Amino acid sequence: MTNEQIINLIKREVVPAIGCTEPIAVALCTAYATEQLGCIPDKIEAKLSANILKNAMGVGIPGTGMTGLPIAIALGASIGKSEYGLEVLKDCCPGAVKDGRKFIDEGRILISLDNDTTEVLNIDITCTTGEKSSRAVISREHTGLVYLEGPDGVIVNKTLGSKEEEAKEEELTLRRVYEFATTAPLQDIEFINEARRLNENAAKEALKGNYGHELGKTLSRPLGKGIMGESIFSHILSATSSACDARMAGAMIPVMSNSGSGNQGIAATLPVVVFGEENHNTEEEITRALTLSHLTAIYIKQSLGRLSALCGCVVASTGSSCGITFLMGGGYEQISYSVKNMIANLAGMVCDGAKPSCALKVSSGVSTAVLSAMLAMQQKYVTSVEGLLEDDVDRSIHNLSRLGAMGMKETDKVVLDIMTHKS
């Protein structure tokens, strides 16, 4: 890939988002359909792929004090604006939430599992009022509108190419990721610092409220400091988990996402930023480390897919481990070692939906990122005789992706079945 192609790829995958991106994508799709209908629908039918259902069941919706899909759909219809993208609900207000509750209580929303789709990420919304109807479909990407139909006919109808063709079109290697991050003209990649600004602000704002399980606050309190100490390591864990606490609890705080996930954006950003600031790295070094972290996460997600049974923090934390290794003074060899160490430790971490306790998983991933970087700088790494790893780091990454995308398919089904049949 050329530098220009890589820059466009990062700008497409690293975007602001308010709230968990799965229910927000459903709200966005609802907004598209409602806008075509031209009025608030009487009925909304949402047919969703299994992974969208799984990731939207237990997460807070920004500005509502409520969890789950119904309120996201109701607000998508009433105040959602498709032009906002993954910030579609940023105009939410108490009056809109009250109206949304009423919409739900009146039984005007029908949500079902779409057994017909083969896509892991697929959202199909149909809105009706009287004899008028509209339909919108988002597929593969959280903002990927592929079909839009209004009362007067079809407006958008995109044919999706094969996933193999898409992967080939955007082919990367870890070597190319490293070369780009470390040699691209600084002015071409400075835009990545918006991720730093947004996600640092999210971590600070989170400490002003009591969000989720308050992991970030717990780590920054006297008890947490007494156990973890005042160290770069503890500060990384506190900042990262704080931002995740707030996001999963539905705080109206924008974060910079990565590959359609706010938590991945947080985990790819804050460990690198906190380490760089406290290690007194230069602004250029931090910018390049952030680019390396985010692009590594994008690279892994290309073969893994947007949603899977493999927890996304594994991917994002692998990116941050690369960034931290770079800030420690490591080159490509040490960075490849850190990737291998990450895969050896975190492969198989299960995603059981988006929820407040994601902060715990993110902190596990981030702590492993720091440990992996430290080992890598000592020339210590897990070898090809162990587990999923091969001598070639790119093959090791693809082995991880294969495990998550193919090997854990049945795991995904069992997780969803457990979540939907709790007593």
Side-chain angles (χ1 to χ4, degrees):
M1 296 179 70
T2 65
N3 276 18
E4 184 180 1
Q5 287 175 316
I6 292 175
I7 289 167
N8 289 335
L9 175 63
I10 297 172
K11 287 182 176 180
R12 190 168 72 242
E13 299 290 4
V14 181
V15 297
I18 297 177
C20 176
T21 48
E22 277 71 61
I24 294 302
V26 176
L28 176 61
C29 197
T30 305
Y32 273 119
T34 302
E35 287 165 357
Q36 288 304 313
L37 191 65
C39 62
I40 302 296
D42 290 335
K43 293 278 186 181
I44 302 174
E45 181 182 2
K47 296 173 68 177
L48 310 172
S49 59
N51 283 74
I52 291 290
L53 274 176
K54 180 182 76 172
N55 278 7
M57 288 173 63
V59 71
I61 307 303
T64 69
M66 300 172 67
T67 60
L69 284 164
I71 190 62
I73 292 172
L75 291 174
S78 62
I79 54 95
K81 290 184 175 65
S82 62
E83 65 195 74
Y84 292 165
L86 293 179
E87 295 180 286
V88 62
L89 299 185
K90 69 179 180 180
D91 290 341
C92 181
C93 63
V97 175
K98 182 179 178 181
D99 291 341
R101 287 178 182 271
K102 183 181 177 185
F103 197 98
I104 296 166
D105 293 341
E106 290 171 350
R108 295 161 65 179
I109 298 172
L110 176 64
I111 300 170
S112 63
L113 174 65
D114 189 348
N115 291 309
D116 296 327
T117 184
T118 58
E119 298 293 341
V120 174
L121 192 165
N122 205 75
I123 303 162
D124 191 333
I125 302 289
T126 299
C127 295
T128 56
T129 292
E131 295 184 359
K132 290 200 308 178
S133 68
S134 61
R135 181 179 171 222
V137 179
I138 283 176
S139 193
R140 291 197 185 173
E141 298 181 4
H142 291 78
T143 57
L145 182 71
V146 298
Y147 187 86
L148 185 61
E149 183 179 4
D152 297 324
V154 177
I155 299 99
V156 176
N157 190 6
K158 294 181 181 178
T159 301
L160 292 173
S162 72
K163 292 172 186 175
E164 290 75 16
E165 288 173 342
E166 287 185 1
K168 188 175 182 181
E169 189 178 304
E170 297 179 347
E171 191 172 348
L172 280 170
T173 63
L174 188 65
R175 170 74 72 176
R176 182 69 182 107
V177 168
Y178 172 77
E179 288 175 349
F180 174 82
T182 55
T183 64
L186 187 61
Q187 65 269 22
D188 289 350
I189 58 174
E190 283 182 325
F191 68 88
I192 201 68
N193 287 312
E194 181 65 6
R196 175 181 180 179
R197 186 188 71 80
L198 280 181
N199 293 346
E200 273 195 310
N201 181 66
K204 291 172 184 174
E205 288 296 314
L207 295 177
K208 297 177 183 178
N210 297 318
Y211 297 110
H213 298 295
E214 300 182 44
L215 177 58
K217 268 192 151 180
T218 300
L219 290 170
S220 62
R221 285 172 174 154
L223 175 63
K225 291 178 180 179
I227 295 172
M228 302 293 291
E230 282 281 10
S231 64
I232 296 177
F233 182 64
S234 66
H235 295 164
I236 286 173
L237 294 185
S238 177
T240 308
S241 54
S242 290
C244 185
D245 280 332
R247 180 175 175 269
M248 290 289 94
M252 190 62 85
I253 302 172
V255 302
M256 191 66 82
S257 66
N258 180 297
S259 303
S261 167
N263 281 352
Q264 285 172 199
I266 290 167
T269 303
L270 289 174
V272 175
V273 169
V274 173
F275 183 89
E277 290 174 349
E278 299 203 16
N279 195 49
H280 303 297
N281 288 98
T282 66
E283 290 299 306
E284 178 175 345
E285 287 170 338
I286 294 174
T287 298
R288 294 193 180 281
L290 274 176
T291 303
L292 175 62
S293 177
H294 277 276
L295 189 54
T296 299
I298 292 168
Y299 165 42
I300 298 173
K301 290 293 281 187
Q302 282 182 339
S303 54
L304 176 62
R306 296 273 163 176
L307 302 173
S308 75
L310 182 69
C311 179
C313 80
V314 174
V315 175
S317 298
T318 299
S320 64
S321 187
C322 293
I324 291 170
T325 303
F326 172 77
L327 292 174
M328 287 179 173
Y332 175 74
E333 185 179 43
Q334 289 75 34
I335 286 166
S336 67
Y337 293 165
S338 74
V339 170
K340 290 181 178 182
N341 292 338
M342 291 294 294
I343 293 171
N345 194 358
L346 292 181
M349 181 184 284
V350 173
C351 170
D352 53 344
K355 60 213 174 301
S357 60
C358 283
L360 289 164
K361 293 193 176 188
V362 167
S363 66
S364 296
V366 169
S367 63
T368 302
V370 177
L371 295 175
S372 295
M374 290 170 61
L375 283 174
M377 292 303 295
Q378 301 299 316
Q379 304 296 109
K380 303 292 185 183
Y381 63 96
V382 181
T383 66
S384 60
V385 299
E386 304 174 65
L388 303 176
L389 294 173
E390 301 194 32
D391 291 328
D392 185 282
V393 67
D394 293 293
R395 287 183 62 86
S396 298
I397 287 171
H398 288 295
N399 288 347
L400 173 71
S401 299
R402 185 180 170 200
L403 173 69
M406 297 171 61
M408 297 175 73
K409 275 187 177 179
E410 192 61 32
T411 300
D412 227 8
K413 294 176 184 176
V414 172
V415 167
L416 183 63
D417 184 66
I418 291 171
M419 290 174 65
T420 55
H421 292 89
K422 293 180 183 178
S423 57

mmCIF file of all heavy atoms in Angstrom, residues 111-142:
data_model
loop_
_atom_site.group_PDB
_atom_site.id
_atom_site.type_symbol
_atom_site.label_atom_id
_atom_site.label_comp_id
_atom_site.label_asym_id
_atom_site.label_seq_id
_atom_site.Cartn_x
_atom_site.Cartn_y
_atom_site.Cartn_z
ATOM 1 N N ILE A 111 -37.527 -6.506 17.611
ATOM 2 C CA ILE A 111 -36.120 -6.855 17.398
ATOM 3 C C ILE A 111 -36.010 -8.370 17.266
ATOM 4 O O ILE A 111 -36.557 -9.119 18.088
ATOM 5 C CB ILE A 111 -35.256 -6.375 18.574
ATOM 6 C CG1 ILE A 111 -35.359 -4.852 18.726
ATOM 7 C CG2 ILE A 111 -33.802 -6.788 18.381
ATOM 8 C CD1 ILE A 111 -34.731 -4.327 20.005
ATOM 9 N N SER A 112 -35.297 -8.820 16.234
ATOM 10 C CA SER A 112 -35.146 -10.260 16.037
ATOM 11 C C SER A 112 -33.765 -10.588 15.483
ATOM 12 O O SER A 112 -33.080 -9.731 14.916
ATOM 13 C CB SER A 112 -36.226 -10.793 15.088
ATOM 14 O OG SER A 112 -36.102 -10.211 13.807
ATOM 15 N N LEU A 113 -33.376 -11.847 15.660
ATOM 16 C CA LEU A 113 -32.123 -12.350 15.110
ATOM 17 C C LEU A 113 -32.321 -12.648 13.633
ATOM 18 O O LEU A 113 -33.270 -13.313 13.244
ATOM 19 C CB LEU A 113 -31.693 -13.617 15.859
ATOM 20 C CG LEU A 113 -30.465 -14.353 15.328
ATOM 21 C CD1 LEU A 113 -29.221 -13.490 15.474
ATOM 22 C CD2 LEU A 113 -30.285 -15.682 16.070
ATOM 23 N N ASP A 114 -31.438 -12.122 12.810
ATOM 24 C CA ASP A 114 -31.511 -12.350 11.358
ATOM 25 C C ASP A 114 -30.755 -13.637 11.029
ATOM 26 O O ASP A 114 -29.530 -13.641 10.945
ATOM 27 C CB ASP A 114 -30.908 -11.157 10.616
ATOM 28 C CG ASP A 114 -31.156 -11.221 9.121
ATOM 29 O OD1 ASP A 114 -31.585 -12.285 8.637
ATOM 30 O OD2 ASP A 114 -30.921 -10.209 8.433
ATOM 31 N N ASN A 115 -31.485 -14.703 10.827
ATOM 32 C CA ASN A 115 -30.873 -15.997 10.516
ATOM 33 C C ASN A 115 -30.524 -16.139 9.043
ATOM 34 O O ASN A 115 -29.903 -17.130 8.639
ATOM 35 C CB ASN A 115 -31.807 -17.139 10.929
ATOM 36 C CG ASN A 115 -31.935 -17.257 12.437
ATOM 37 O OD1 ASN A 115 -30.932 -17.311 13.142
ATOM 38 N ND2 ASN A 115 -33.163 -17.303 12.936
ATOM 39 N N ASP A 116 -30.938 -15.164 8.233
ATOM 40 C CA ASP A 116 -30.705 -15.262 6.787
ATOM 41 C C ASP A 116 -29.366 -14.683 6.356
ATOM 42 O O ASP A 116 -28.843 -15.032 5.299
ATOM 43 C CB ASP A 116 -31.826 -14.549 6.024
ATOM 44 C CG ASP A 116 -33.182 -15.209 6.245
ATOM 45 O OD1 ASP A 116 -33.214 -16.446 6.413
ATOM 46 O OD2 ASP A 116 -34.202 -14.495 6.266
ATOM 47 N N THR A 117 -28.812 -13.777 7.164
ATOM 48 C CA THR A 117 -27.568 -13.130 6.755
ATOM 49 C C THR A 117 -26.350 -14.006 7.051
ATOM 50 O O THR A 117 -26.330 -14.758 8.024
ATOM 51 C CB THR A 117 -27.388 -11.769 7.457
ATOM 52 O OG1 THR A 117 -26.212 -11.137 6.958
ATOM 53 C CG2 THR A 117 -27.271 -11.934 8.973
ATOM 54 N N THR A 118 -25.361 -13.902 6.184
ATOM 55 C CA THR A 118 -24.091 -14.596 6.416
ATOM 56 C C THR A 118 -23.036 -13.635 6.946
ATOM 57 O O THR A 118 -21.916 -14.044 7.263
ATOM 58 C CB THR A 118 -23.567 -15.227 5.107
ATOM 59 O OG1 THR A 118 -23.407 -14.193 4.125
ATOM 60 C CG2 THR A 118 -24.530 -16.284 4.595
ATOM 61 N N GLU A 119 -23.401 -12.358 7.048
ATOM 62 C CA GLU A 119 -22.472 -11.342 7.535
ATOM 63 C C GLU A 119 -22.454 -11.318 9.057
ATOM 64 O O GLU A 119 -23.505 -11.409 9.700
ATOM 65 C CB GLU A 119 -22.858 -9.956 7.006
ATOM 66 C CG GLU A 119 -22.820 -9.819 5.499
ATOM 67 C CD GLU A 119 -21.412 -9.907 4.925
ATOM 68 O OE1 GLU A 119 -20.446 -9.717 5.700
ATOM 69 O OE2 GLU A 119 -21.287 -10.162 3.718
ATOM 70 N N VAL A 120 -21.272 -11.181 9.632
ATOM 71 C CA VAL A 120 -21.151 -11.095 11.085
ATOM 72 C C VAL A 120 -21.732 -9.779 11.589
ATOM 73 O O VAL A 120 -22.362 -9.726 12.643
ATOM 74 C CB VAL A 120 -19.662 -11.234 11.497
ATOM 75 C CG1 VAL A 120 -19.504 -11.007 12.996
ATOM 76 C CG2 VAL A 120 -19.137 -12.606 11.110
ATOM 77 N N LEU A 121 -21.527 -8.707 10.816
ATOM 78 C CA LEU A 121 -22.069 -7.395 11.160
ATOM 79 C C LEU A 121 -23.138 -7.045 10.127
ATOM 80 O O LEU A 121 -22.829 -6.733 8.980
ATOM 81 C CB LEU A 121 -20.960 -6.336 11.166
ATOM 82 C CG LEU A 121 -21.258 -4.951 11.758
ATOM 83 C CD1 LEU A 121 -19.949 -4.193 12.007
ATOM 84 C CD2 LEU A 121 -22.175 -4.105 10.891
ATOM 85 N N ASN A 122 -24.390 -7.124 10.535
ATOM 86 C CA ASN A 122 -25.485 -6.814 9.609
ATOM 87 C C ASN A 122 -26.680 -6.257 10.385
ATOM 88 O O ASN A 122 -27.118 -6.830 11.380
ATOM 89 C CB ASN A 122 -25.917 -8.054 8.843
ATOM 90 C CG ASN A 122 -26.561 -7.708 7.501
ATOM 91 O OD1 ASN A 122 -25.859 -7.344 6.562
ATOM 92 N ND2 ASN A 122 -27.875 -7.787 7.419
ATOM 93 N N ILE A 123 -27.162 -5.108 9.922
ATOM 94 C CA ILE A 123 -28.285 -4.413 10.566
ATOM 95 C C ILE A 123 -29.314 -4.097 9.493
ATOM 96 O O ILE A 123 -28.999 -3.421 8.512
ATOM 97 C CB ILE A 123 -27.810 -3.105 11.236
ATOM 98 C CG1 ILE A 123 -26.707 -3.389 12.254
ATOM 99 C CG2 ILE A 123 -28.981 -2.377 11.893
ATOM 100 C CD1 ILE A 123 -25.901 -2.153 12.628
ATOM 101 N N ASP A 124 -30.532 -4.580 9.671
ATOM 102 C CA ASP A 124 -31.593 -4.410 8.670
ATOM 103 C C ASP A 124 -32.802 -3.775 9.366
ATOM 104 O O ASP A 124 -33.452 -4.418 10.192
ATOM 105 C CB ASP A 124 -31.951 -5.769 8.068
ATOM 106 C CG ASP A 124 -32.847 -5.663 6.844
ATOM 107 O OD1 ASP A 124 -33.606 -4.675 6.729
ATOM 108 O OD2 ASP A 124 -32.812 -6.584 5.997
ATOM 109 N N ILE A 125 -33.077 -2.514 9.049
ATOM 110 C CA ILE A 125 -34.146 -1.763 9.715
ATOM 111 C C ILE A 125 -35.260 -1.438 8.719
ATOM 112 O O ILE A 125 -35.001 -0.900 7.634
ATOM 113 C CB ILE A 125 -33.623 -0.437 10.304
ATOM 114 C CG1 ILE A 125 -32.488 -0.690 11.302
ATOM 115 C CG2 ILE A 125 -34.767 0.349 10.942
ATOM 116 C CD1 ILE A 125 -32.907 -1.322 12.598
ATOM 117 N N THR A 126 -36.495 -1.764 9.088
ATOM 118 C CA THR A 126 -37.662 -1.388 8.287
ATOM 119 C C THR A 126 -38.580 -0.516 9.141
ATOM 120 O O THR A 126 -38.952 -0.909 10.256
ATOM 121 C CB THR A 126 -38.428 -2.624 7.807
ATOM 122 O OG1 THR A 126 -37.565 -3.428 6.987
ATOM 123 C CG2 THR A 126 -39.655 -2.216 6.985
ATOM 124 N N CYS A 127 -38.915 0.652 8.637
ATOM 125 C CA CYS A 127 -39.815 1.579 9.329
ATOM 126 C C CYS A 127 -41.122 1.693 8.536
ATOM 127 O O CYS A 127 -41.099 1.778 7.308
ATOM 128 C CB CYS A 127 -39.181 2.967 9.434
ATOM 129 S SG CYS A 127 -37.695 3.033 10.462
ATOM 130 N N THR A 128 -42.233 1.690 9.248
ATOM 131 C CA THR A 128 -43.533 1.819 8.580
ATOM 132 C C THR A 128 -44.409 2.835 9.297
ATOM 133 O O THR A 128 -44.377 2.963 10.527
ATOM 134 C CB THR A 128 -44.283 0.470 8.534
ATOM 135 O OG1 THR A 128 -44.426 -0.035 9.874
ATOM 136 C CG2 THR A 128 -43.532 -0.552 7.700
ATOM 137 N N THR A 129 -45.180 3.558 8.501
ATOM 138 C CA THR A 129 -46.218 4.461 8.992
ATOM 139 C C THR A 129 -47.378 4.374 8.000
ATOM 140 O O THR A 129 -47.214 4.756 6.830
ATOM 141 C CB THR A 129 -45.716 5.913 9.077
ATOM 142 O OG1 THR A 129 -44.734 6.007 10.108
ATOM 143 C CG2 THR A 129 -46.865 6.867 9.409
ATOM 144 N N GLY A 130 -48.510 3.855 8.463
ATOM 145 C CA GLY A 130 -49.630 3.654 7.548
ATOM 146 C C GLY A 130 -49.222 2.704 6.440
ATOM 147 O O GLY A 130 -48.709 1.603 6.680
ATOM 148 N N GLU A 131 -49.372 3.139 5.192
ATOM 149 C CA GLU A 131 -48.994 2.316 4.044
ATOM 150 C C GLU A 131 -47.598 2.645 3.533
ATOM 151 O O GLU A 131 -47.105 2.019 2.606
ATOM 152 C CB GLU A 131 -50.022 2.505 2.907
ATOM 153 C CG GLU A 131 -51.426 1.996 3.270
ATOM 154 C CD GLU A 131 -52.380 2.099 2.100
ATOM 155 O OE1 GLU A 131 -51.961 2.582 1.026
ATOM 156 O OE2 GLU A 131 -53.543 1.681 2.260
ATOM 157 N N LYS A 132 -46.957 3.635 4.133
ATOM 158 C CA LYS A 132 -45.600 4.016 3.735
ATOM 159 C C LYS A 132 -44.570 3.189 4.502
ATOM 160 O O LYS A 132 -44.759 2.879 5.678
ATOM 161 C CB LYS A 132 -45.339 5.496 4.022
ATOM 162 C CG LYS A 132 -46.098 6.457 3.123
ATOM 163 C CD LYS A 132 -45.445 7.842 3.121
ATOM 164 C CE LYS A 132 -45.208 8.398 4.495
ATOM 165 N NZ LYS A 132 -44.531 9.725 4.439
ATOM 166 N N SER A 133 -43.475 2.858 3.818
ATOM 167 C CA SER A 133 -42.402 2.130 4.494
ATOM 168 C C SER A 133 -41.050 2.558 3.930
ATOM 169 O O SER A 133 -40.952 3.090 2.820
ATOM 170 C CB SER A 133 -42.573 0.614 4.335
ATOM 171 O OG SER A 133 -42.370 0.223 2.994
ATOM 172 N N SER A 134 -40.024 2.312 4.715
ATOM 173 C CA SER A 134 -38.644 2.573 4.296
ATOM 174 C C SER A 134 -37.755 1.506 4.903
ATOM 175 O O SER A 134 -38.117 0.860 5.892
ATOM 176 C CB SER A 134 -38.188 3.963 4.748
ATOM 177 O OG SER A 134 -38.225 4.046 6.162
ATOM 178 N N ARG A 135 -36.586 1.336 4.306
ATOM 179 C CA ARG A 135 -35.680 0.282 4.789
ATOM 180 C C ARG A 135 -34.244 0.722 4.599
ATOM 181 O O ARG A 135 -33.890 1.348 3.589
ATOM 182 C CB ARG A 135 -35.939 -1.012 4.006
ATOM 183 C CG ARG A 135 -35.072 -2.194 4.440
ATOM 184 C CD ARG A 135 -35.403 -3.436 3.623
ATOM 185 N NE ARG A 135 -34.464 -4.519 3.870
ATOM 186 C CZ ARG A 135 -33.944 -5.310 2.942
ATOM 187 N NH1 ARG A 135 -34.288 -5.125 1.669
ATOM 188 N NH2 ARG A 135 -33.103 -6.263 3.263
ATOM 189 N N ALA A 136 -33.408 0.407 5.581
ATOM 190 C CA ALA A 136 -31.972 0.684 5.502
ATOM 191 C C ALA A 136 -31.204 -0.538 5.984
ATOM 192 O O ALA A 136 -31.643 -1.231 6.917
ATOM 193 C CB ALA A 136 -31.605 1.907 6.342
ATOM 194 N N VAL A 137 -30.079 -0.809 5.345
ATOM 195 C CA VAL A 137 -29.225 -1.933 5.732
ATOM 196 C C VAL A 137 -27.785 -1.440 5.854
ATOM 197 O O VAL A 137 -27.253 -0.818 4.927
ATOM 198 C CB VAL A 137 -29.285 -3.092 4.712
ATOM 199 C CG1 VAL A 137 -28.369 -4.236 5.151
ATOM 200 C CG2 VAL A 137 -30.713 -3.598 4.543
ATOM 201 N N ILE A 138 -27.177 -1.711 7.007
ATOM 202 C CA ILE A 138 -25.749 -1.465 7.233
ATOM 203 C C ILE A 138 -25.073 -2.817 7.343
ATOM 204 O O ILE A 138 -25.559 -3.702 8.057
ATOM 205 C CB ILE A 138 -25.524 -0.625 8.502
ATOM 206 C CG1 ILE A 138 -25.854 0.856 8.221
ATOM 207 C CG2 ILE A 138 -24.104 -0.764 9.020
ATOM 208 C CD1 ILE A 138 -25.744 1.759 9.437
ATOM 209 N N SER A 139 -23.952 -2.992 6.647
ATOM 210 C CA SER A 139 -23.302 -4.306 6.639
ATOM 211 C C SER A 139 -21.787 -4.179 6.607
ATOM 212 O O SER A 139 -21.234 -3.242 6.018
ATOM 213 C CB SER A 139 -23.779 -5.099 5.421
ATOM 214 O OG SER A 139 -23.418 -6.462 5.520
ATOM 215 N N ARG A 140 -21.121 -5.107 7.275
ATOM 216 C CA ARG A 140 -19.654 -5.262 7.343
ATOM 217 C C ARG A 140 -18.957 -4.175 8.144
ATOM 218 O O ARG A 140 -18.042 -4.463 8.892
ATOM 219 C CB ARG A 140 -19.039 -5.371 5.943
ATOM 220 C CG ARG A 140 -19.386 -6.668 5.247
ATOM 221 C CD ARG A 140 -18.463 -6.951 4.080
ATOM 222 N NE ARG A 140 -18.923 -8.145 3.386
ATOM 223 C CZ ARG A 140 -18.424 -8.582 2.246
ATOM 224 N NH1 ARG A 140 -17.425 -7.923 1.665
ATOM 225 N NH2 ARG A 140 -18.904 -9.661 1.689
ATOM 226 N N GLU A 141 -19.329 -2.931 7.949
ATOM 227 C CA GLU A 141 -18.752 -1.833 8.713
ATOM 228 C C GLU A 141 -19.861 -1.106 9.452
ATOM 229 O O GLU A 141 -20.994 -1.044 8.974
ATOM 230 C CB GLU A 141 -18.009 -0.862 7.787
ATOM 231 C CG GLU A 141 -16.840 -1.501 7.053
ATOM 232 C CD GLU A 141 -16.112 -0.501 6.173
ATOM 233 O OE1 GLU A 141 -16.482 0.687 6.199
ATOM 234 O OE2 GLU A 141 -15.169 -0.908 5.461
ATOM 235 N N HIS A 142 -19.522 -0.511 10.602
ATOM 236 C CA HIS A 142 -20.539 0.112 11.445
ATOM 237 C C HIS A 142 -21.239 1.285 10.773
ATOM 238 O O HIS A 142 -22.343 1.654 11.172
ATOM 239 C CB HIS A 142 -19.913 0.569 12.772
ATOM 240 C CG HIS A 142 -19.504 -0.572 13.654
ATOM 241 N ND1 HIS A 142 -18.359 -1.295 13.440
ATOM 242 C CD2 HIS A 142 -20.093 -1.115 14.763
ATOM 243 C CE1 HIS A 142 -18.246 -2.233 14.369
ATOM 244 N NE2 HIS A 142 -19.278 -2.148 15.180
#
